[in-house]
Amino acid sequence: MTLRGTAPTRRQSGVYIIAIAIMLGIAVTLLTFGALSDLARINTSDQRTTESLEQAKQSLIGYAVAYRDRVPPTGARTNAFGFLPCPDMNGSGGEGVSATACGAQDVTVIGRLPWRTLDLAPLRDGSGECLWYALSGNFKNNPKTALMNWDTNGLIEVMTPDGTAFVAGASPTNRAVAVVFSPGAVLPGQDRSLAAINPPNSCGGNYTAANYLDTDVASAINNATAPSATANGLSRFITAIESARTPATNDSFNDRLAAILPNEIFARRILLRSDLDPLLADPATGMLRRLADCIVWYGKKNAAGVADKRLPWAVPIMLGNYGVSTAYDDGANVFSGRFPYLAQSSDATTNNISVVPPDYELLRLSGAEACPNWGLSDEFWDNWKDHIFYAVAKAFAPNSAVATNADPCASDECISVDGGVGNAAVVIFANPKGAGQSRNNDTNPLYTSAEKSNQANYLEGINATTILNNSPNAATPRQFTKLAGTDIVMCVRLDPNPAIGLFVDPTCATTSVCTADGLALGNYRSGNTNNCKVGKDSLLPACKTLEDRIHNNNCPCHKGGHDFANKDCLKGFTTNKCLNAHSSLLAC
């Protein structure tokens, strides 16, 4: 017997099942779509944050690299490289404008990113917040540190999200010089309402770091209060991925960070500037030449007159603080060491009228007895003074009894450089550290590092050995060399003509080099043909090498070498200028 209604009931149940399946499918689709949309939003937000942090980082690096170019000098003082702008501390100079000064010397500070000073639009992270910025105390532009160069370490450590490893700071040379923060979305307890004073209308909010930067409970690192209040003190920050994924339970922090390391400013950028080497060591105009000029200037200012050619003592190799200029004070009977900023011991013997008490400054910026043109190099001295070494010949030392002779070297010790004899003094610049040299790899962030007391961490070959010799004698004159690694050596000599007297000689009396190079370059002339010419107006590489050596050694024929290789003289020798250039090279 057939039951009525059974088949329709089954069909009805099947319809319900299908309908339920369809609704479940729709729900799953909606959930999946929503999840994918959320993931897309997160990825878009993360990408925006990453891009903003990177743009800020590169702009700050560019500022440091171009600091000398973009910041006008103050009075007679020139600028060096490497300094970074203060944060926008409170908007007093205008929103996004770097504070004129920020805190005490060498004290790390934190504030908003000075986007306007960096010529940027307001940079925002994925949550729409403008960026914040912490600056290592020894890299800020005001007040400046005492020793900013390619050996300067940052004062900032950055930890991974779990607080157990270093993003920056695993070694002293890897500490950060600055950190840019993405503050992320507002967290409980933070108030980002608009400031009543100097309100940042473009970015919104206020200048209270705790309203933007967070605390990691697990490591107890508070990014808002992490900057050390101590000069040269270390500061430790921590970075997050996002608050939903921070490692510890009940730990909510969402600050993302981008760190700037010292080598990103110096090794990768500033050392590649074509003008850095000339500013430091050009034989005619660089800092090293101006230091040597000041030694000559001293030798012509002794109270007994120009016939008294005594020069100042050197400074001991080991100092209490390598960042303080006044620590570079000469010492009696110190014939070899560091370059003197003060010449107090020397002046007690020579009564030199250019280093009068109470300051005894050899490197003077202003005044009736100022070292000529020193203002053009003073900031480079400030920042590279630990790299400068100096030795005075016994015949020209403050206690010399023969410095008034026509030829003091005939009666007592004078310095020899690569076989060139008769040098009254040498000034040496130590270039970036090489293999086996370490100047700042201890934990000490101050300018008292024991590594700086070891001259072998700066100088190379016999220069590193001879600079310790403070018992010179005429029988075995001290030997220096221009050929040891990257050391740059410049000499002070005495011209036989009393009207010239002491003078700076970048060749250190190795005149055979100038003679050989001048003759070699001059021999590229054949009649009226200049064989240095290649193609239409190009210069043969061998000729370029000779011209550069003649210039770098400041040879007497350096102008002739320049003219000889100039495009006008590459065309031939029909003009007096080109004929004179050739004659100059042959007579070099």
Side-chain angles (χ1 to χ4, degrees), residues 294-295 297-298 302 311-315 325-326 328-332 339-352 354-364 390 398:
C294 287
I295 293 296
W297 170 69
Y298 181 100
N302 291 313
L311 302 175
W313 298 114
V315 174
S325 288
T326 52
Y328 293 76
D329 193 0
D330 67 339
F339 192 93
Y341 175 82
L342 301 180
Q344 185 169 359
S345 296
S346 303
D347 190 53
T349 303
T350 64
N351 194 23
N352 191 284
S354 65
V355 289
V356 296
D359 49 34
Y360 299 100
E361 290 181 4
L362 173 62
L363 305 180
R364 188 184 296 269
Y390 165 75

Side-chain angles (χ1 to χ4, degrees), residues 516-518 520-522 524 541-551:
D517 286 346
L521 186 57
Y524 277 88
C543 295
K544 175 62 175 170
T545 298
L546 289 168
E547 181 203 356
D548 288 345
R549 284 213 305 250
I550 289 169
H551 169 77

Side-chain angles (χ1 to χ4, degrees), residues 369-390:
E369 292 298 336
C371 184
N373 296 325
W374 180 241
L376 299 176
S377 293
D378 62 290
E379 184 145 325
F380 284 93
W381 155 262
D382 286 347
N383 293 299
W384 271 273
K385 52 185 172 282
D386 61 324
H387 288 59
I388 316 296
F389 295 82
Y390 165 75

